[in-house]
Amino acid sequence: MPETGPEAQESFVLRGDIAYSKDPETLVTYEDAYVVCVDGVSRGVFKTLPDDYRDLPVEDYSGRLILPGFSDLHVHAPQYQYRGNGMDLTLLDWLDQYAFPEEAKYSDLSYAERAYDLFVEDLYVGATTRACIFATIDPDATLGLMDMLEETGLITCVGKVNMDRNAPETYVETTEESLADTQAFLEAVAESGYLRTFPILTPRFTPSCTRELMDGLGRLAKEYGLPVQSHLSENKPEIAWVKELEPDAAFYGATYDRSGLFGENGKCIMAHCVHSVDEEVALINERGVFIAHCPECNLNISSGVAPVRRYLEEGLRVGLGSDVAGGSTTSLFAAMRYAIIASKVRAMFINENDRPLTFPEVFYLATKGGGAFFGRVGSFEEGYEFDAVVIDDEALPTMREEQTLTERVERLLYLADDRHVTGKYVAGRKLY
Amino acid sequence: MPETGPEAQESFVLRGDIAYSKDPETLVTYEDAYVVCVDGVSRGVFKTLPDDYRDLPVEDYSGRLILPGFSDLHVHAPQYQYRGNGMDLTLLDWLDQYAFPEEAKYSDLSYAERAYDLFVEDLYVGATTRACIFATIDPDATLGLMDMLEETGLITCVGKVNMDRNAPETYVETTEESLADTQAFLEAVAESGYLRTFPILTPRFTPSCTRELMDGLGRLAKEYGLPVQSHLSENKPEIAWVKELEPDAAFYGATYDRSGLFGENGKCIMAHCVHSVDEEVALINERGVFIAHCPECNLNISSGVAPVRRYLEEGLRVGLGSDVAGGSTTSLFAAMRYAIIASKVRAMFINENDRPLTFPEVFYLATKGGGAFFGRVGSFEEGYEFDAVVIDDEALPTMREEQTLTERVERLLYLADDRHVTGKYVAGRKLY
């Protein structure tokens, strides 16, 4: 599982306008302050630099914002090529018309290399420092993607996708192939010497994985202690289809759980959970499964709006997913904005007791909430791995001199893009 | 009323990948084609340049997209300064905490000049070629804004705002002041010699305008044949407040209509119409009132979702408004995206018979739908005033060689920003 790479031992101080989440309700802000990184780990934020750290080099970002890096808990690397297309479709048509045909192309390693290069460059220049990524069924192309990601300095979990049914002939595996390729993929990763790029088991979703495949993956999860990522209860026709395919499962999530793929053997992320029934929510809670909330995708392909207010109140582990290309952009600024909008939709039209998410709450989800999947990540509190992004908001001009640091952070959700990300640190290592 | 400026007599040909709306369902696309402008007016799009136009200069934008310019039917220039802030509030709190205090500052002409300069620059670099703009109650600051807009080459209608009640002491007029200042403002505009910047009467909304003020503005509308812009049926507490303030009016829209401010004396734009009752919709239709659909704002401040599907089916005149700063951005690419999302929300949660808006439909709204307010604007069909934007989508890389021109346009809604707008023409005049 993800651990700070051994080379990330840098110690330094950043100076600037600093903000981070203490808890979902509390955005802590310090104007013109110092955040200290020792051996890749935060020692906290200080208005005056303590004497202990006076000898450390100081990088002066005065006037700029310094925020924890963002963790994207759900993104499909190969789908990057058609981001922003097919948005008038719903999930199952969109898979057939866009996702499967595009993903099938990645068996051509030359295509895969050029295409993944565009995705990786995009992730590199944005505010994301960690991500959990779906690749395709092709193990070699997936290893190629991991090579590129390792090179960037980002910390990522990457999955070779498994799917042995209900997929087009040109993009499907036999059960045996799927398991053998996964095994080979895991062995190749083990030999790779990657410091910050980790494998994650990735059964696409129940409709495209037989019970036999799920069970085989469960054995691998147990043997290697691997994390798992998949999709869960995203939209109603999908859920009905799962019920039809797996009539013995009490609910959708049980189709993963009965194979040991629901957080029993390692960390687990389930994307969406828009329509999870109570038993499913209870099991998510019991197993400590992370929910990747993907609000843009859920709105774009008309799946619905996940009850994130409820999940937070019940203490579930929730982070954000850009879900490219169900989401159009890898930007978690956008994901935060859509999370707020989706929650307002929920409050207006689904359940008025589900108070809309506030901007501090979605900021928490993008940083500390999702970061928790990677360990102590997503905050500048003492002991957190040092992921930071430096944002130049002078390029978003305003005359408002009374603007607070909190307001400056809020407007980033609506206005910032990769142009404004001018510095990035991952686990204490400066990328740029 | 807006007319092509007399200096816009240019004749030329643009070559590139061309798209425009014929009707809401039909996006017409021509790869590697020519669009011809003669004396500021489109002569249509041609795969092969007709002999008649062989002598015209050709600007070669091969590989780039050429689209009709966008018309923003509703935007508040002074609110640009706090775009992206206060989004956790609802309408009436948001007005008190952000809108009124910020707008009050514009009585300081030096502040107004610097602040409006930021707004005007933003509008200039984006894909908008025409806009209907709210300024503040200050006539001199409003004239200053119009000077700047005139300079850009954009075609705009700009309103000095009227409000004589229910506003903070620091930002309110007496009825007499409001009418006298409007009269003086109109006279100053008449003397200005503006070619492309037009006055529009702008009662803020019924809660902030007495009947006496409305009647006075109605007399001005009639005397000068002026257009009108205001807000209508945006959110439920606002509508309840109007009912309380104006118990004799049968519905909200009647409070404008009884004063002659609802399309009887000149063109009229009403922003929002989220919760319009049937009689109101019927009157909007009868009077030919334009609806400025502002989906981002309606979601941001939890107002609801306007029934645009119904409006289109009933043949109402609908365009898009960015509604900065209820909307966070002046980009109509974003407004189109939010219009689609909002319509999906409506279909999911309000009325399943309201089929979601498709991307060709929202493209129509941003171009031909809103453009109709300005005359024959928003298309490349023969006889339309020649507004065009050139978009460089190579900066949005993809490996998809099979991508159609239609797909290239769709992805702009999700991915494009001002970086990608590389050329702009308004009524036949090249701005850049």
Side-chain angles (χ1 to χ4, degrees):
Chain A
M1 265 304 297
E3 291 285 342
T4 301
E7 87 300 3
Q9 300 297 329
E10 284 88 346
S11 300
F12 54 83
V13 177
L14 307 186
R15 177 181 179 175
D17 297 327
I18 300 167
Y20 63 89
S21 292
K22 210 177 94 189
D23 54 52
E25 288 79 36
T26 317
L27 183 78
V28 180
T29 61
Y30 289 85
E31 287 196 54
D32 192 18
Y34 302 88
V35 58
V36 176
C37 173
V38 172
D39 296 340
V41 174
S42 178
R43 290 292 177 92
V45 180
F46 307 93
K47 275 302 287 180
T48 307
L49 191 61
D51 286 341
D52 287 358
Y53 308 127
R54 292 260 170 219
D55 294 337
L56 294 180
V58 177
E59 192 108 39
D60 192 345
Y61 294 115
S62 290
R64 299 201 176 179
L65 291 154
I66 303 172
L67 310 174
F70 300 157
S71 289
D72 185 348
L73 292 193
H74 188 67
V75 57
H76 294 262
Q79 298 180 4
Y80 183 74
Q81 306 308 318
Y82 67 87
R83 66 203 183 284
N85 274 138
M87 291 305 197
D88 291 347
L89 304 173
T90 51
L91 177 62
L92 302 179
D93 290 335
W94 177 91
L95 283 171
D96 285 339
Q97 291 179 43
Y98 282 91
F100 293 152
E102 180 62 30
E103 292 186 24
K105 295 180 193 166
Y106 286 70
S107 61
D108 171 350
L109 292 186
S110 145
Y111 182 88
E113 188 181 341
R114 287 171 294 148
Y116 279 145
D117 185 57
L118 297 179
F119 168 75
V120 170
E121 171 66 17
D122 182 292
L123 212 59
Y124 180 74
V125 301
T128 296
T129 53
R130 313 220 179 191
C132 293
I133 301 171
F134 279 55
T136 69
I137 64 174
D138 192 282
D140 295 326
T142 304
L143 288 164
L145 170 60
M146 294 176 85
D147 288 345
M148 289 181 208
L149 286 164
E150 177 73 11
E151 194 73 19
T152 60
L154 300 170
I155 293 177
T156 57
C157 292
V158 182
K160 172 227 159 326
V161 172
N162 301 94
M163 43 196 290
D164 68 345
R165 66 172 174 182
N166 293 317
E169 267 178 45
T170 51
Y171 189 59
V172 69
E173 314 161 294
T174 64
T175 309
E176 299 68 38
E177 276 168 358
S178 190
L179 290 171
D181 281 358
T182 303
Q183 178 94 40
F185 165 73
L186 293 171
E187 284 162 12
V189 172
E191 284 165 22
S192 68
Y194 295 145
L195 298 174
R196 42 190 159 258
T197 315
F198 305 89
I200 182 166
L201 291 174
T202 306
R204 185 179 202 107
F205 69 155
T206 302
S208 56
C209 298
T210 60
R211 175 71 189 265
E212 197 184 342
L213 175 55
M214 292 280 205
D215 287 346
L217 294 174
R219 284 191 296 275
L220 289 173
K222 194 161 186 182
E223 184 181 345
Y224 293 88
L226 287 169
V228 173
Q229 61 183 353
S230 194
H231 299 88
L232 182 61
S233 298
E234 178 174 0
N235 96 358
K236 289 178 182 172
E238 172 216 21
I239 295 168
W241 193 17
V242 170
K243 209 167 198 63
E244 196 182 302
L245 290 166
E246 302 294 341
D248 297 339
F251 48 90
Y252 190 163
T255 63
Y256 300 109
D257 190 56
R258 66 191 182 185
S259 298
L261 295 167
F262 210 63
E264 246 185 329
N265 296 304
K267 283 182 178 168
C268 177
I269 300 176
M270 288 285 151
H272 307 305
C273 304
V274 171
H275 304 285
S276 291
V277 294
D278 287 348
E279 306 96 290
E280 187 165 279
V281 175
L283 191 66
I284 287 169
N285 204 352
E286 190 183 327
R287 296 269 190 269
V289 169
F290 282 78
I291 294 168
H293 176 46
C294 305
E296 191 201 346
C297 170
N298 297 156
L299 293 170
N300 282 338
I301 57 178
S302 294
S303 297
V305 177
V308 178
R309 167 66 58 209
R310 172 190 174 183
Y311 294 160
L312 288 176
E313 281 172 356
E314 295 186 8
L316 271 61
R317 303 160 101 173
V318 187
L320 294 181
S322 68
D323 201 9
V324 161
S328 60
T329 167
T330 61
S331 167
L332 287 200
F333 289 121
M336 286 190 265
R337 181 171 76 233
Y338 285 113
I340 292 179
I341 287 174
S343 74
K344 289 173 179 169
V345 166
R346 199 172 164 86
M348 280 191 281
F349 303 120
I350 305 178
N351 185 344
E352 64 181 347
N353 296 320
D354 281 356
R355 208 161 28 85
L357 299 177
T358 64
F359 117 73
E361 287 173 325
V362 299
F363 189 84
Y364 171 89
L365 294 180
T367 54
K368 212 170 173 178
F373 180 80
F374 296 92
R376 286 172 69 78
V377 170
S379 175
F380 293 135
E381 290 160 289
E382 195 174 353
Y384 274 72
E385 295 187 41
F386 194 87
D387 286 19
V389 287
V390 182
I391 309 289
D392 179 6
D393 67 344
E394 283 196 21
L396 300 166
T398 175
M399 294 284 295
R400 293 187 81 237
E401 281 166 17
E402 73 274 29
Q403 201 174 42
T404 64
L405 184 43
T406 300
E407 287 178 314
R408 285 171 63 197
V409 178
E410 183 188 14
R411 65 203 288 270
L412 296 179
L413 275 56
Y414 295 88
L415 306 176
D417 57 46
D418 53 28
R419 280 176 282 197
H420 311 110
V421 180
T422 59
K424 193 164 182 172
Y425 297 77
V426 184
R429 186 160 176 259
K430 181 175 182 171
L431 306 198
Y432 53 85
Chain B
M1 264 304 296
E3 292 286 338
T4 302
E7 87 300 5
Q9 301 297 327
E10 284 87 346
S11 299
F12 53 83
V13 176
L14 307 186
R15 177 181 180 173
D17 297 328
I18 300 167
Y20 64 88
S21 292
K22 208 178 94 188
D23 53 54
E25 289 79 35
T26 318
L27 184 77
V28 181
T29 61
Y30 289 85
E31 287 196 53
D32 192 19
Y34 302 88
V35 59
V36 176
C37 173
V38 172
D39 296 340
V41 173
S42 178
R43 289 293 177 93
V45 180
F46 307 93
K47 275 301 287 179
T48 308
L49 190 61
D51 286 340
D52 287 358
Y53 308 126
R54 292 260 169 219
D55 294 337
L56 294 180
V58 177
E59 191 109 39
D60 192 345
Y61 294 116
S62 289
R64 299 202 175 178
L65 292 154
I66 303 172
L67 309 175
F70 300 158
S71 289
D72 185 347
L73 293 193
H74 188 67
V75 56
H76 293 262
Q79 298 180 5
Y80 184 74
Q81 306 307 317
Y82 66 88
R83 65 202 184 284
N85 274 137
M87 291 304 197
D88 291 346
L89 304 174
T90 51
L91 178 61
L92 301 179
D93 290 335
W94 178 91
L95 283 171
D96 285 339
Q97 291 179 44
Y98 281 91
F100 293 152
E102 181 61 30
E103 292 186 23
K105 294 181 193 167
Y106 286 70
S107 60
D108 172 350
L109 292 186
S110 145
Y111 182 89
E113 188 182 341
R114 287 172 296 148
Y116 279 145
D117 185 57
L118 298 179
F119 167 76
V120 170
E121 171 66 16
D122 183 292
L123 212 60
Y124 181 74
V125 301
T128 296
T129 52
R130 314 222 177 189
C132 293
I133 301 170
F134 279 56
T136 69
I137 64 174
D138 192 283
D140 295 326
T142 304
L143 288 165
L145 170 61
M146 293 176 85
D147 288 345
M148 288 181 209
L149 286 164
E150 177 73 12
E151 195 73 17
T152 60
L154 301 170
I155 293 178
T156 57
C157 293
V158 182
K160 171 229 162 320
V161 171
N162 300 93
M163 43 195 291
D164 67 345
R165 67 174 174 182
N166 293 317
E169 268 178 45
T170 50
Y171 189 58
V172 69
E173 314 161 294
T174 65
T175 308
E176 299 67 37
E177 276 168 357
S178 191
L179 290 171
D181 280 359
T182 303
Q183 178 95 41
F185 165 72
L186 293 172
E187 284 162 13
V189 172
E191 283 164 23
S192 69
Y194 295 145
L195 298 174
R196 43 190 157 257
T197 315
F198 304 89
I200 182 166
L201 291 174
T202 306
R204 186 181 202 104
F205 69 156
T206 303
S208 56
C209 299
T210 61
R211 174 72 188 264
E212 196 184 343
L213 176 55
M214 292 280 205
D215 286 346
L217 293 174
R219 284 190 296 273
L220 289 173
K222 196 162 184 180
E223 183 181 346
Y224 293 89
L226 286 170
V228 173
Q229 61 183 351
S230 194
H231 299 88
L232 182 61
S233 299
E234 178 173 3
N235 96 359
K236 287 178 182 170
E238 173 217 20
I239 294 168
W241 193 17
V242 169
K243 209 166 198 64
E244 197 183 302
L245 290 167
E246 303 293 341
D248 297 339
F251 48 89
Y252 190 163
T255 63
Y256 300 110
D257 191 56
R258 66 191 182 186
S259 298
L261 295 167
F262 210 63
E264 245 184 331
N265 296 305
K267 282 181 177 169
C268 176
I269 300 176
M270 288 286 149
H272 306 304
C273 304
V274 172
H275 304 285
S276 292
V277 294
D278 287 347
E279 305 96 290
E280 187 164 279
V281 175
L283 191 65
I284 288 169
N285 204 350
E286 191 184 325
R287 296 268 191 269
V289 168
F290 282 79
I291 294 168
H293 177 45
C294 305
E296 192 202 346
C297 170
N298 297 154
L299 292 170
N300 281 339
I301 57 178
S302 292
S303 297
V305 177
V308 178
R309 168 66 58 210
R310 172 189 174 185
Y311 294 160
L312 288 176
E313 281 171 354
E314 296 186 8
L316 271 62
R317 303 160 102 173
V318 186
L320 294 181
S322 68
D323 200 9
V324 161
S328 59
T329 167
T330 61
S331 168
L332 287 200
F333 289 121
M336 286 190 266
R337 183 171 75 234
Y338 285 113
I340 291 178
I341 287 174
S343 73
K344 289 173 179 170
V345 166
R346 196 168 168 89
M348 280 193 280
F349 303 121
I350 305 179
N351 185 345
E352 63 181 348
N353 296 322
D354 282 355
R355 209 161 27 85
L357 299 177
T358 64
F359 117 73
E361 287 174 325
V362 298
F363 190 84
Y364 172 89
L365 295 181
T367 54
K368 212 170 173 178
F373 180 80
F374 295 93
R376 285 172 70 79
V377 170
S379 175
F380 293 136
E381 289 161 289
E382 196 175 351
Y384 274 72
E385 295 187 40
F386 194 86
D387 286 20
V389 287
V390 181
I391 309 288
D392 179 6
D393 67 343
E394 282 197 21
L396 301 166
T398 174
M399 294 284 293
R400 294 187 81 236
E401 282 165 17
E402 72 274 29
Q403 201 173 45
T404 64
L405 183 44
T406 300
E407 287 179 314
R408 285 171 64 197
V409 178
E410 183 188 14
R411 65 204 287 271
L412 296 180
L413 275 57
Y414 296 87
L415 306 177
D417 58 46
D418 54 28
R419 280 176 283 197
H420 310 109
V421 180
T422 59
K424 194 167 185 171
Y425 297 77
V426 184
R429 186 159 176 258
K430 181 176 183 171
L431 307 198
Y432 52 85

